[in-house]
PDB file of all heavy atoms in Angstrom:
ATOM      1  N   GLY A 279      85.207 189.547  42.592  1.00 96.00           N
ATOM      2  CA  GLY A 279      85.271 188.689  43.777  1.00 96.00           C
ATOM      3  C   GLY A 279      86.696 188.486  44.232  1.00 96.00           C
ATOM      4  O   GLY A 279      87.646 188.914  43.562  1.00 96.00           O
ATOM      5  N   ARG A 280      86.817 187.816  45.368  1.00 94.00           N
ATOM      6  CA  ARG A 280      88.146 187.559  45.924  1.00 94.00           C
ATOM      7  C   ARG A 280      88.994 186.785  44.925  1.00 94.00           C
ATOM      8  O   ARG A 280      88.481 186.050  44.077  1.00 94.00           O
ATOM      9  CB  ARG A 280      88.044 186.707  47.193  1.00 94.00           C
ATOM     10  CG  ARG A 280      87.546 187.431  48.405  1.00 94.00           C
ATOM     11  CD  ARG A 280      87.657 186.512  49.607  1.00 94.00           C
ATOM     12  NE  ARG A 280      89.055 186.317  49.966  1.00 94.00           N
ATOM     13  CZ  ARG A 280      89.710 187.098  50.823  1.00 94.00           C
ATOM     14  NH1 ARG A 280      89.105 188.086  51.416  1.00 94.00           N
ATOM     15  NH2 ARG A 280      90.991 186.878  51.089  1.00 94.00           N
ATOM     16  N   SER A 281      90.273 186.936  45.093  1.00 92.00           N
ATOM     17  CA  SER A 281      91.211 186.186  44.282  1.00 92.00           C
ATOM     18  C   SER A 281      90.967 184.691  44.479  1.00 92.00           C
ATOM     19  O   SER A 281      90.688 184.266  45.609  1.00 92.00           O
ATOM     20  CB  SER A 281      92.623 186.560  44.742  1.00 92.00           C
ATOM     21  OG  SER A 281      93.515 186.180  43.777  1.00 92.00           O
ATOM     22  N   ASN A 282      91.029 183.942  43.395  1.00 92.00           N
ATOM     23  CA  ASN A 282      90.920 182.480  43.454  1.00 92.00           C
ATOM     24  C   ASN A 282      89.487 181.961  43.644  1.00 92.00           C
ATOM     25  O   ASN A 282      89.260 180.761  43.784  1.00 92.00           O
ATOM     26  CB  ASN A 282      91.830 181.932  44.580  1.00 92.00           C
ATOM     27  CG  ASN A 282      92.242 180.505  44.310  1.00 92.00           C
ATOM     28  OD1 ASN A 282      91.958 179.602  45.083  1.00 92.00           O
ATOM     29  ND2 ASN A 282      92.891 180.279  43.194  1.00 92.00           N
ATOM     30  N   VAL A 283      88.506 182.847  43.633  1.00 95.00           N
ATOM     31  CA  VAL A 283      87.130 182.414  43.887  1.00 95.00           C
ATOM     32  C   VAL A 283      86.544 181.658  42.679  1.00 95.00           C
ATOM     33  O   VAL A 283      85.592 180.884  42.814  1.00 95.00           O
ATOM     34  CB  VAL A 283      86.263 183.631  44.289  1.00 95.00           C
ATOM     35  CG1 VAL A 283      85.955 184.519  43.097  1.00 95.00           C
ATOM     36  CG2 VAL A 283      84.988 183.202  44.954  1.00 95.00           C
ATOM     37  N   GLY A 284      87.150 181.913  41.487  1.00 94.00           N
ATOM     38  CA  GLY A 284      86.683 181.192  40.292  1.00 94.00           C
ATOM     39  C   GLY A 284      86.074 182.089  39.223  1.00 94.00           C
ATOM     40  O   GLY A 284      85.271 181.618  38.406  1.00 94.00           O
ATOM     41  N   LYS A 285      86.478 183.350  39.177  1.00 94.00           N
ATOM     42  CA  LYS A 285      85.937 184.283  38.177  1.00 94.00           C
ATOM     43  C   LYS A 285      86.274 183.852  36.754  1.00 94.00           C
ATOM     44  O   LYS A 285      85.409 183.742  35.889  1.00 94.00           O
ATOM     45  CB  LYS A 285      86.477 185.712  38.420  1.00 94.00           C
ATOM     46  CG  LYS A 285      86.057 186.289  39.764  1.00 94.00           C
ATOM     47  CD  LYS A 285      86.689 187.637  40.027  1.00 94.00           C
ATOM     48  CE  LYS A 285      88.195 187.570  40.212  1.00 94.00           C
ATOM     49  NZ  LYS A 285      88.633 186.791  41.379  1.00 94.00           N
ATOM     50  N   SER A 286      87.557 183.604  36.512  1.00 92.00           N
ATOM     51  CA  SER A 286      87.986 183.247  35.159  1.00 92.00           C
ATOM     52  C   SER A 286      87.405 181.894  34.750  1.00 92.00           C
ATOM     53  O   SER A 286      87.018 181.689  33.595  1.00 92.00           O
ATOM     54  CB  SER A 286      89.521 183.232  35.087  1.00 92.00           C
ATOM     55  OG  SER A 286      90.037 184.507  35.457  1.00 92.00           O
ATOM     56  N   THR A 287      87.302 180.990  35.715  1.00 93.00           N
ATOM     57  CA  THR A 287      86.703 179.683  35.441  1.00 93.00           C
ATOM     58  C   THR A 287      85.241 179.839  35.007  1.00 93.00           C
ATOM     59  O   THR A 287      84.777 179.157  34.084  1.00 93.00           O
ATOM     60  CB  THR A 287      86.789 178.791  36.706  1.00 93.00           C
ATOM     61  OG1 THR A 287      88.163 178.706  37.098  1.00 93.00           O
ATOM     62  CG2 THR A 287      86.248 177.398  36.460  1.00 93.00           C
ATOM     63  N   LEU A 288      84.523 180.754  35.656  1.00 94.00           N
ATOM     64  CA  LEU A 288      83.121 180.968  35.302  1.00 94.00           C
ATOM     65  C   LEU A 288      82.992 181.634  33.927  1.00 94.00           C
ATOM     66  O   LEU A 288      82.088 181.298  33.160  1.00 94.00           O
ATOM     67  CB  LEU A 288      82.419 181.805  36.383  1.00 94.00           C
ATOM     68  CG  LEU A 288      80.910 181.979  36.209  1.00 94.00           C
ATOM     69  CD1 LEU A 288      80.186 180.626  36.203  1.00 94.00           C
ATOM     70  CD2 LEU A 288      80.320 182.867  37.306  1.00 94.00           C
ATOM     71  N   ARG A 300      92.418 182.884  31.534  1.00 85.00           N
ATOM     72  CA  ARG A 300      93.421 182.053  32.203  1.00 85.00           C
ATOM     73  C   ARG A 300      93.069 181.861  33.676  1.00 85.00           C
ATOM     74  O   ARG A 300      92.770 182.811  34.386  1.00 85.00           O
ATOM     75  CB  ARG A 300      94.807 182.706  32.092  1.00 85.00           C
ATOM     76  CG  ARG A 300      95.766 181.837  31.289  1.00 85.00           C
ATOM     77  CD  ARG A 300      96.892 182.652  30.710  1.00 85.00           C
ATOM     78  NE  ARG A 300      96.483 183.347  29.512  1.00 85.00           N
ATOM     79  CZ  ARG A 300      97.106 184.420  29.035  1.00 85.00           C
ATOM     80  NH1 ARG A 300      98.133 184.934  29.688  1.00 85.00           N
ATOM     81  NH2 ARG A 300      96.696 184.979  27.918  1.00 85.00           N
ATOM     82  N   THR A 301      93.100 180.602  34.099  1.00 83.00           N
ATOM     83  CA  THR A 301      92.779 180.287  35.493  1.00 83.00           C
ATOM     84  C   THR A 301      94.023 179.723  36.151  1.00 83.00           C
ATOM     85  O   THR A 301      94.977 179.340  35.464  1.00 83.00           O
ATOM     86  CB  THR A 301      91.661 179.232  35.567  1.00 83.00           C
ATOM     87  OG1 THR A 301      92.159 178.018  35.000  1.00 83.00           O
ATOM     88  CG2 THR A 301      90.434 179.677  34.785  1.00 83.00           C
ATOM     89  N   SER A 302      94.006 179.673  37.464  1.00 80.00           N
ATOM     90  CA  SER A 302      95.189 179.169  38.141  1.00 80.00           C
ATOM     91  C   SER A 302      94.876 178.740  39.564  1.00 80.00           C
ATOM     92  O   SER A 302      93.975 179.280  40.201  1.00 80.00           O
ATOM     93  CB  SER A 302      96.252 180.265  38.178  1.00 80.00           C
ATOM     94  OG  SER A 302      97.309 179.879  39.016  1.00 80.00           O
ATOM     95  N   LYS A 303      95.639 177.782  40.044  1.00 79.00           N
ATOM     96  CA  LYS A 303      95.527 177.385  41.454  1.00 79.00           C
ATOM     97  C   LYS A 303      96.135 178.468  42.334  1.00 79.00           C
ATOM     98  O   LYS A 303      95.825 178.582  43.507  1.00 79.00           O
ATOM     99  CB  LYS A 303      96.275 176.067  41.679  1.00 79.00           C
ATOM    100  CG  LYS A 303      95.531 174.855  41.147  1.00 79.00           C
ATOM    101  CD  LYS A 303      96.097 173.585  41.761  1.00 79.00           C
ATOM    102  CE  LYS A 303      95.279 172.373  41.380  1.00 79.00           C
ATOM    103  NZ  LYS A 303      95.299 172.074  39.949  1.00 79.00           N
ATOM    104  N   THR A 304      97.040 179.256  41.756  1.00 76.00           N
ATOM    105  CA  THR A 304      97.714 180.311  42.516  1.00 76.00           C
ATOM    106  C   THR A 304      96.870 181.575  42.479  1.00 76.00           C
ATOM    107  O   THR A 304      96.534 182.047  41.392  1.00 76.00           O
ATOM    108  CB  THR A 304      99.080 180.637  41.870  1.00 76.00           C
ATOM    109  OG1 THR A 304      99.647 179.424  41.426  1.00 76.00           O
ATOM    110  CG2 THR A 304     100.002 181.345  42.824  1.00 76.00           C
ATOM    111  N   PRO A 305      96.520 182.127  43.646  1.00 70.00           N
ATOM    112  CA  PRO A 305      95.717 183.349  43.641  1.00 70.00           C
ATOM    113  C   PRO A 305      96.447 184.491  42.957  1.00 70.00           C
ATOM    114  O   PRO A 305      97.684 184.528  42.951  1.00 70.00           O
ATOM    115  CB  PRO A 305      95.540 183.669  45.136  1.00 70.00           C
ATOM    116  CG  PRO A 305      95.929 182.457  45.872  1.00 70.00           C
ATOM    117  CD  PRO A 305      96.864 181.686  45.007  1.00 70.00           C
ATOM    118  N   GLY A 306      95.684 185.413  42.406  1.00 68.00           N
ATOM    119  CA  GLY A 306      96.294 186.596  41.812  1.00 68.00           C
ATOM    120  C   GLY A 306      96.680 186.410  40.367  1.00 68.00           C
ATOM    121  O   GLY A 306      97.505 187.150  39.824  1.00 68.00           O
ATOM    122  N   LYS A 307      96.091 185.418  39.721  1.00 66.00           N
ATOM    123  CA  LYS A 307      96.461 185.139  38.327  1.00 66.00           C
ATOM    124  C   LYS A 307      96.054 186.298  37.407  1.00 66.00           C
ATOM    125  O   LYS A 307      96.824 186.724  36.554  1.00 66.00           O
ATOM    126  CB  LYS A 307      95.759 183.850  37.872  1.00 66.00           C
ATOM    127  CG  LYS A 307      96.050 183.447  36.441  1.00 66.00           C
ATOM    128  CD  LYS A 307      97.474 182.980  36.324  1.00 66.00           C
ATOM    129  CE  LYS A 307      97.896 182.838  34.870  1.00 66.00           C
ATOM    130  NZ  LYS A 307      99.307 182.521  34.761  1.00 66.00           N
ATOM    131  N   THR A 308      94.837 186.788  37.589  1.00 72.00           N
ATOM    132  CA  THR A 308      94.352 187.846  36.707  1.00 72.00           C
ATOM    133  C   THR A 308      94.761 189.203  37.284  1.00 72.00           C
ATOM    134  O   THR A 308      94.238 189.633  38.307  1.00 72.00           O
ATOM    135  CB  THR A 308      92.809 187.753  36.577  1.00 72.00           C
ATOM    136  OG1 THR A 308      92.464 186.404  36.275  1.00 72.00           O
ATOM    137  CG2 THR A 308      92.287 188.652  35.471  1.00 72.00           C
ATOM    138  N   ARG A 309      95.719 189.865  36.627  1.00 83.00           N
ATOM    139  CA  ARG A 309      96.177 191.165  37.130  1.00 83.00           C
ATOM    140  C   ARG A 309      95.691 192.306  36.239  1.00 83.00           C
ATOM    141  O   ARG A 309      95.832 193.465  36.580  1.00 83.00           O
ATOM    142  CB  ARG A 309      97.722 191.232  37.195  1.00 83.00           C
ATOM    143  CG  ARG A 309      98.389 190.055  37.870  1.00 83.00           C
ATOM    144  CD  ARG A 309      98.078 189.959  39.339  1.00 83.00           C
ATOM    145  NE  ARG A 309      98.609 191.059  40.123  1.00 83.00           N
ATOM    146  CZ  ARG A 309      98.352 191.231  41.409  1.00 83.00           C
ATOM    147  NH1 ARG A 309      97.549 190.406  42.035  1.00 83.00           N
ATOM    148  NH2 ARG A 309      98.876 192.247  42.072  1.00 83.00           N
ATOM    149  N   ASP A 324      86.431 190.411  33.082  1.00 95.00           N
ATOM    150  CA  ASP A 324      87.052 189.589  34.126  1.00 95.00           C
ATOM    151  C   ASP A 324      88.024 190.481  34.908  1.00 95.00           C
ATOM    152  O   ASP A 324      89.053 190.904  34.383  1.00 95.00           O
ATOM    153  CB  ASP A 324      87.792 188.417  33.452  1.00 95.00           C
ATOM    154  CG  ASP A 324      88.334 187.405  34.460  1.00 95.00           C
ATOM    155  OD1 ASP A 324      87.981 187.488  35.654  1.00 95.00           O
ATOM    156  OD2 ASP A 324      89.123 186.531  34.038  1.00 95.00           O
ATOM    157  N   LEU A 325      87.664 190.776  36.157  1.00 94.00           N
ATOM    158  CA  LEU A 325      88.490 191.691  36.964  1.00 94.00           C
ATOM    159  C   LEU A 325      89.553 190.937  37.753  1.00 94.00           C
ATOM    160  O   LEU A 325      89.357 189.765  38.091  1.00 94.00           O
ATOM    161  CB  LEU A 325      87.604 192.427  37.976  1.00 94.00           C
ATOM    162  CG  LEU A 325      86.617 193.459  37.458  1.00 94.00           C
ATOM    163  CD1 LEU A 325      85.821 194.022  38.631  1.00 94.00           C
ATOM    164  CD2 LEU A 325      87.340 194.579  36.717  1.00 94.00           C
ATOM    165  N   PRO A 326      90.632 191.635  38.108  1.00 91.00           N
ATOM    166  CA  PRO A 326      91.594 191.013  39.022  1.00 91.00           C
ATOM    167  C   PRO A 326      90.908 190.765  40.361  1.00 91.00           C
ATOM    168  O   PRO A 326      90.066 191.555  40.785  1.00 91.00           O
ATOM    169  CB  PRO A 326      92.677 192.086  39.193  1.00 91.00           C
ATOM    170  CG  PRO A 326      92.503 193.037  38.062  1.00 91.00           C
ATOM    171  CD  PRO A 326      91.041 192.997  37.718  1.00 91.00           C
ATOM    172  N   GLY A 327      91.235 189.677  40.998  1.00 91.00           N
ATOM    173  CA  GLY A 327      90.624 189.366  42.291  1.00 91.00           C
ATOM    174  C   GLY A 327      91.146 190.300  43.365  1.00 91.00           C
ATOM    175  O   GLY A 327      92.257 190.805  43.266  1.00 91.00           O
ATOM    176  N   TYR A 328      90.332 190.494  44.394  1.00 90.00           N
ATOM    177  CA  TYR A 328      90.831 191.324  45.492  1.00 90.00           C
ATOM    178  C   TYR A 328      91.201 190.456  46.693  1.00 90.00           C
ATOM    179  O   TYR A 328      90.932 189.267  46.717  1.00 90.00           O
ATOM    180  CB  TYR A 328      89.808 192.402  45.865  1.00 90.00           C
ATOM    181  CG  TYR A 328      88.368 191.951  46.003  1.00 90.00           C
ATOM    182  CD1 TYR A 328      87.934 191.271  47.145  1.00 90.00           C
ATOM    183  CD2 TYR A 328      87.445 192.230  45.015  1.00 90.00           C
ATOM    184  CE1 TYR A 328      86.603 190.890  47.285  1.00 90.00           C
ATOM    185  CE2 TYR A 328      86.105 191.847  45.140  1.00 90.00           C
ATOM    186  CZ  TYR A 328      85.698 191.168  46.280  1.00 90.00           C
ATOM    187  OH  TYR A 328      84.390 190.783  46.408  1.00 90.00           O
ATOM    188  N   THR A 391      80.408 179.995  44.181  1.00 96.00           N
ATOM    189  CA  THR A 391      81.214 179.092  43.352  1.00 96.00           C
ATOM    190  C   THR A 391      81.654 177.867  44.156  1.00 96.00           C
ATOM    191  O   THR A 391      81.557 177.843  45.375  1.00 96.00           O
ATOM    192  CB  THR A 391      82.486 179.800  42.828  1.00 96.00           C
ATOM    193  OG1 THR A 391      83.274 180.184  43.954  1.00 96.00           O
ATOM    194  CG2 THR A 391      82.124 181.030  42.003  1.00 96.00           C
ATOM    195  N   LYS A 392      82.137 176.882  43.440  1.00 94.00           N
ATOM    196  CA  LYS A 392      82.696 175.652  44.017  1.00 94.00           C
ATOM    197  C   LYS A 392      81.645 174.872  44.812  1.00 94.00           C
ATOM    198  O   LYS A 392      81.949 174.252  45.837  1.00 94.00           O
ATOM    199  CB  LYS A 392      83.945 175.969  44.853  1.00 94.00           C
ATOM    200  CG  LYS A 392      84.921 176.901  44.097  1.00 94.00           C
ATOM    201  CD  LYS A 392      86.311 176.965  44.675  1.00 94.00           C
ATOM    202  CE  LYS A 392      87.151 177.999  43.930  1.00 94.00           C
ATOM    203  NZ  LYS A 392      88.537 178.061  44.321  1.00 94.00           N
ATOM    204  N   ALA A 393      80.410 174.938  44.324  1.00 93.00           N
ATOM    205  CA  ALA A 393      79.309 174.242  45.001  1.00 93.00           C
ATOM    206  C   ALA A 393      79.585 172.742  45.076  1.00 93.00           C
ATOM    207  O   ALA A 393      79.079 172.054  45.974  1.00 93.00           O
ATOM    208  CB  ALA A 393      78.000 174.508  44.273  1.00 93.00           C
ATOM    209  N   ASP A 394      80.403 172.231  44.164  1.00 91.00           N
ATOM    210  CA  ASP A 394      80.735 170.795  44.172  1.00 91.00           C
ATOM    211  C   ASP A 394      81.567 170.405  45.397  1.00 91.00           C
ATOM    212  O   ASP A 394      81.721 169.225  45.692  1.00 91.00           O
ATOM    213  CB  ASP A 394      81.505 170.439  42.887  1.00 91.00           C
ATOM    214  CG  ASP A 394      82.722 171.322  42.671  1.00 91.00           C
ATOM    215  OD1 ASP A 394      82.548 172.551  42.527  1.00 91.00           O
ATOM    216  OD2 ASP A 394      83.852 170.795  42.671  1.00 91.00           O
ATOM    217  N   LYS A 395      82.088 171.412  46.115  1.00 93.00           N
ATOM    218  CA  LYS A 395      82.924 171.109  47.282  1.00 93.00           C
ATOM    219  C   LYS A 395      82.099 170.857  48.539  1.00 93.00           C
ATOM    220  O   LYS A 395      82.661 170.499  49.579  1.00 93.00           O
ATOM    221  CB  LYS A 395      83.878 172.287  47.560  1.00 93.00           C
ATOM    222  CG  LYS A 395      84.857 172.568  46.439  1.00 93.00           C
ATOM    223  CD  LYS A 395      86.106 171.744  46.617  1.00 93.00           C
ATOM    224  CE  LYS A 395      87.219 172.273  45.719  1.00 93.00           C
ATOM    225  NZ  LYS A 395      88.388 171.395  45.760  1.00 93.00           N
ATOM    226  N   VAL A 429      76.993 177.568  41.589  1.00 93.00           N
ATOM    227  CA  VAL A 429      77.480 176.869  40.392  1.00 93.00           C
ATOM    228  C   VAL A 429      78.762 176.090  40.722  1.00 93.00           C
ATOM    229  O   VAL A 429      79.417 176.349  41.724  1.00 93.00           O
ATOM    230  CB  VAL A 429      77.806 177.865  39.245  1.00 93.00           C
ATOM    231  CG1 VAL A 429      76.561 178.581  38.771  1.00 93.00           C
ATOM    232  CG2 VAL A 429      78.863 178.859  39.668  1.00 93.00           C
ATOM    233  N   SER A 430      79.077 175.145  39.870  1.00 90.00           N
ATOM    234  CA  SER A 430      80.370 174.446  39.942  1.00 90.00           C
ATOM    235  C   SER A 430      81.005 174.532  38.569  1.00 90.00           C
ATOM    236  O   SER A 430      80.321 174.373  37.562  1.00 90.00           O
ATOM    237  CB  SER A 430      80.218 172.977  40.299  1.00 90.00           C
ATOM    238  OG  SER A 430      79.097 172.762  41.091  1.00 90.00           O
ATOM    239  N   ALA A 431      82.309 174.744  38.584  1.00 78.00           N
ATOM    240  CA  ALA A 431      83.017 174.946  37.316  1.00 78.00           C
ATOM    241  C   ALA A 431      82.928 173.726  36.413  1.00 78.00           C
ATOM    242  O   ALA A 431      82.918 173.841  35.196  1.00 78.00           O
ATOM    243  CB  ALA A 431      84.474 175.297  37.589  1.00 78.00           C
ATOM    244  N   GLY A 432      82.850 172.560  37.038  1.00 70.00           N
ATOM    245  CA  GLY A 432      82.858 171.336  36.241  1.00 70.00           C
ATOM    246  C   GLY A 432      81.518 171.031  35.592  1.00 70.00           C
ATOM    247  O   GLY A 432      81.395 170.087  34.830  1.00 70.00           O
TER     248      GLY A 432
HETATM  249  N1  GTP B 626      86.148 172.398  42.530  1.00 80.10           N
HETATM  250  C1  GTP B 626      86.008 173.575  41.917  1.00 80.10           C
HETATM  251  N2  GTP B 626      87.112 174.293  41.625  1.00 80.10           N
HETATM  252  C2  GTP B 626      86.938 175.498  41.029  1.00 80.10           C
HETATM  253  C3  GTP B 626      85.650 176.001  40.693  1.00 80.10           C
HETATM  254  N3  GTP B 626      85.804 177.217  40.113  1.00 80.10           N
HETATM  255  C4  GTP B 626      87.127 177.455  40.097  1.00 80.10           C
HETATM  256  N4  GTP B 626      87.824 176.436  40.646  1.00 80.10           N
HETATM  257  C5  GTP B 626      89.285 176.349  40.805  1.00 80.10           C
HETATM  258  O1  GTP B 626      89.716 177.458  41.604  1.00 80.10           O
HETATM  259  C6  GTP B 626      90.993 177.925  41.184  1.00 80.10           C
HETATM  260  C7  GTP B 626      90.926 179.415  40.878  1.00 80.10           C
HETATM  261  O2  GTP B 626      90.092 179.647  39.771  1.00 80.10           O
HETATM  262  P1  GTP B 626      90.204 180.961  38.876  1.00 80.10           P
HETATM  263  O3  GTP B 626      89.075 180.927  37.936  1.00 80.10           O
HETATM  264  O4  GTP B 626      91.571 181.132  38.328  1.00 80.10           O
HETATM  265  O5  GTP B 626      89.955 182.094  39.993  1.00 80.10           O
HETATM  266  P2  GTP B 626      89.925 183.685  39.813  1.00 80.10           P
HETATM  267  O6  GTP B 626      88.811 184.173  40.675  1.00 80.10           O
HETATM  268  O7  GTP B 626      89.857 184.056  38.376  1.00 80.10           O
HETATM  269  O8  GTP B 626      91.320 184.090  40.469  1.00 80.10           O
HETATM  270  P3  GTP B 626      92.171 185.447  40.253  1.00 80.10           P
HETATM  271  O9  GTP B 626      92.370 185.634  38.791  1.00 80.10           O
HETATM  272  O10 GTP B 626      93.418 185.160  41.018  1.00 80.10           O
HETATM  273  O11 GTP B 626      91.395 186.552  40.892  1.00 80.10           O
HETATM  274  C8  GTP B 626      91.358 177.071  39.961  1.00 80.10           C
HETATM  275  O12 GTP B 626      92.212 176.033  40.395  1.00 80.10           O
HETATM  276  C9  GTP B 626      90.027 176.513  39.500  1.00 80.10           C
HETATM  277  O13 GTP B 626      90.134 175.286  38.811  1.00 80.10           O
HETATM  278  C10 GTP B 626      84.503 175.186  41.008  1.00 80.10           C
HETATM  279  O14 GTP B 626      83.343 175.555  40.775  1.00 80.10           O
HETATM  280  N5  GTP B 626      84.756 173.997  41.605  1.00 80.10           N
END
Side-chain angles (χ1 to χ4, degrees):
R280 286 187 70 90
S281 197
N282 206 240
V283 74
K285 297 175 293 297
S286 302
T287 304
L288 186 60
R300 244 157 280 159
T301 65
S302 170
K303 284 197 173 64
T304 322
K307 180 70 192 174
T308 311
R309 311 294 294 174
D324 187 10
L325 290 178
Y328 46 78
T391 62
K392 312 196 185 185
D394 54 298
K395 297 272 194 187
V429 296
S430 330

